[in-house]
Amino acid sequence: MRTFKIGGVHPAANKLSADKAIVELALPKQVIIPLSQHIGAPAKAIVDRGAKVKVGTKIAEAGGFVSADIFSSVSGTVKKIDAIPDASGYSKPAVFIDVEGDEWEESIDRTATLVKECNLAPEEIVNKIKAAGIVGMGGATFPTHVKLMPPPGLKPECVIINGVECEPYLTADHRLMLEKPDEILVGLAILMKAAKVNKGYIAIEANKPDAIELLTDKSKEYAGIEIIPLQVKYPQGGEKQLIDAVINRQVPAPPALPVSVGAIIQNVGTAFAVYEAVQKNKPLFERVVTVTGKSVANPSNFLTRIGTPMNLLIEAAGGVPEDTGKVISGGPMMGKAVVTVNVPVTKGSSGILLMPEKESKRKEEQPCIRCAKCVSVCPMGLEPYLLATLSANKDWERVEKECVMYCIECGSCQYTCPSHRYLLDYIRLGKTTVGGIIRARNAKK
């Protein structure tokens, strides 16, 4: 069975909600929809206080080429446009909407009928995806239409759908594959047509045998689509690692892109959103979010409107357990602890993890014992111990020379370190600082 070649770890899966069907979450009284839910320029609000909106009304338009439109997830009245802390604690502008009923834009097809045929030209598909505000829903939130418009000279050969969901605890993609397999396959076929390729893959790790079996059976009806079972290994969901595992090609160092080796990567949730946008005229305003944790009363997968405060999802899963030490937006490896549970769900919110106190406390950092475990598990072939030490010493020139910008921040190094060194913290510091230095240097050219 295939997997990527360099590094990787095997954290406990803890897929506590894998057998829980997707449940539609009740509407909140108010949604808070951030204007920056994607990589790139924030969207610009096009509604004012007092404006009436419906479900699917555009409330903000893309602020540049690498940006995405944003739509209302509810019907009601715009209360205000104000700043709120995001999942990382940074203050970002958002549109506050008081909910009144649930009136949808009439252009949206709300029927459950599967629509397979797509007669649009590739350019029309890309425009429709762009108009729906679709971004990568695996967490990176890169605008999908931009991926489908590769730089001159680069030609895609295949589309790979990431159904790996290698992050522990999270099960939103798994449930989506089980409950919406045909829609995902049609979405992939549409993405293949948009990218002008004849080959598509859906990569799924072996710990989801039900999804592999179902999609393998269903895919027989779709030309050029192949289901690829993969060994269970983290971080297989990373673009470079997935390309290595599926088509045995290695993406060169930055600024090379996945399309440089002929691949376009999209998430399972993105493929489903593309189906809904192109075939049902439905913009991206809701997504599946896993709420989980070892002490959570009812680990669940909720279909949630964008802008819903996280505390409402937590309450629906049984509330905050008494022994909770940390609430994480995302999974335990790459997620970030939130400063408040009032943070709203965004396009990139894959899960909410409530981690018990005894597991959330960091162990005391000890000196490096030169075991090189961090080197052996790094999927990018870097030397994390060295990058962390250089960053701690603020030797930014050397940090850049040692390729800190190649780091994908998967956390494998810190996970495996027997000395409990805060490797990723220092590497992130180095990456952020060096990134700023590079941008400043390029601005002077």
Side-chain angles (χ1 to χ4, degrees):
M1 200 175 285
R2 306 180 201 180
T3 189
F4 60 97
K5 298 176 188 64
I6 302 174
V9 293
H10 298 86
N14 290 317
K15 303 286 189 176
L16 309 176
S17 51
D19 61 345
K20 300 293 181 71
I22 298 167
V23 176
E24 190 169 346
L25 191 74
L27 290 176
K29 293 180 180 178
Q30 183 186 70
V31 292
I32 305 164
I33 304 179
L35 297 178
S36 184
Q37 299 185 45
H38 45 262
I39 286 177
K44 298 175 182 176
I46 56 173
V47 290
D48 296 314
R49 180 182 176 185
K52 296 289 184 181
V53 296
K54 296 179 182 179
V55 178
T57 301
K58 187 195 287 190
I59 58 173
E61 59 187 16
F65 176 64
V66 182
S67 187
D69 293 345
I70 293 174
F71 299 81
S72 175
S73 59
V74 296
S75 60
T77 305
V78 176
K79 183 179 181 181
K80 61 179 178 177
I81 299 172
D82 203 354
I84 56 146
D86 65 8
S88 300
Y90 294 104
S91 185
K92 300 283 178 66
V95 179
F96 291 66
I97 303 173
D98 290 331
V99 180
E100 299 159 7
D102 191 30
E103 186 179 356
W104 290 43
E105 290 284 356
E106 293 178 4
S107 58
I108 300 172
D109 179 0
R110 299 182 67 183
T111 66
T113 307
L114 181 71
V115 182
K116 283 190 176 182
E117 293 299 318
C118 176
N119 298 316
L120 299 177
E123 294 74 18
E124 293 174 312
I125 293 172
V126 173
N127 289 336
K128 208 160 187 184
I129 289 170
K130 179 181 179 181
I134 297 175
V135 302
M137 295 175 71
T141 65
F142 194 83
T144 302
H145 69 276
V146 179
K147 274 193 179 181
L148 295 171
M149 301 167 68
L154 298 180
K155 181 172 172 36
E157 298 172 30
C158 66
V159 175
I160 302 174
I161 298 299
N162 180 358
V164 169
E165 201 164 42
C166 60
E167 182 83 46
Y169 289 96
L170 305 186
T171 59
D173 289 349
H174 186 184
R175 291 310 312 179
L176 203 55
M177 288 188 285
L178 291 177
E179 298 182 38
K180 302 290 183 182
D182 284 301
E183 289 85 347
I184 290 166
L185 286 162
V186 174
L188 171 53
I190 291 169
L191 285 164
M192 289 162 60
K193 188 173 183 180
K196 302 176 184 176
V197 301
N198 297 317
K199 191 64 185 173
Y201 302 95
I202 301 180
I204 310 171
E205 284 195 331
N207 60 357
K208 306 172 188 64
D210 47 0
I212 292 171
E213 184 180 355
L214 179 62
L215 282 163
T216 298
D217 182 56
K218 294 272 188 183
S219 66
K220 294 172 185 175
E221 303 173 23
Y222 298 84
I225 293 179
E226 185 180 351
I227 311 304
I228 306 292
L230 298 175
Q231 288 182 36
V232 178
K233 188 163 69 164
Y234 177 88
Q236 198 145 236
E239 285 191 327
K240 294 178 175 67
Q241 288 67 42
L242 196 60
I243 291 168
D244 184 12
V246 175
I247 60 173
N248 194 27
R249 296 181 186 177
Q250 289 71 45
V251 180
L257 302 166
V259 75
S260 302
V261 294
I264 290 177
I265 311 293
Q266 301 289 356
N267 177 261
V268 160
T270 308
F272 179 65
V274 165
Y275 165 80
E276 293 202 307
V278 176
Q279 305 295 73
K280 298 288 186 175
N281 293 312
K282 181 183 173 184
L284 180 54
F285 56 74
E286 61 184 0
R287 67 157 297 143
V288 180
V289 182
T290 299
V291 183
T292 185
K294 290 180 180 177
S295 300
V296 172
N298 183 28
S300 304
N301 300 291
F302 294 116
L303 180 63
T304 310
R305 303 286 179 96
I306 301 299
T308 301
M310 285 186 178
N311 66 298
L312 297 184
L313 285 84
I314 295 170
E315 288 171 16
V320 178
E322 286 186 14
D323 66 346
T324 299
K326 196 174 283 185
V327 179
I328 297 172
S329 176
M333 297 297 286
M334 292 188 74
K336 294 184 178 179
V338 297
V339 293
T340 169
V341 291
N342 294 321
V343 170
V345 167
T346 63
K347 294 177 182 180
S349 300
S350 54
I352 302 167
L353 171 61
L354 290 89
M355 189 173 279
E357 179 80 29
K358 63 182 179 181
E359 292 185 11
S360 66
K361 282 189 174 179
R362 288 186 171 188
K363 294 179 181 178
E364 187 176 347
E365 191 175 23
Q366 301 292 329
C368 175
I369 61 170
R370 307 291 192 271
C371 68
K373 279 189 175 182
C374 62
V375 177
S376 67
V377 302
C378 178
M380 295 303 294
L382 302 175
E383 298 177 285
Y385 75 92
L386 179 60
L387 290 171
T389 301
L390 293 173
S391 296
N393 294 333
K394 300 183 179 181
D395 188 350
W396 307 128
E397 185 177 346
R398 182 88 187 277
V399 171
E400 181 179 356
K401 185 180 177 182
E402 295 293 340
C403 306
V404 73
M405 299 308 293
Y406 298 5
C407 173
I408 61 172
E409 302 180 31
C410 67
S412 295
C413 55
Q414 192 158 307
Y415 172 81
T416 199
C417 180
S419 294
H420 315 298
R421 292 185 68 200
Y422 305 154
L423 297 169
L424 185 56
D425 297 49
Y426 285 114
I427 292 171
R428 276 179 172 155
L429 171 64
K431 193 175 173 184
T432 301
T433 305
V434 169
I437 291 169
I438 292 171
R439 286 191 295 274
R441 187 166 65 224
N442 290 340
K444 292 178 181 177
K445 291 181 180 178

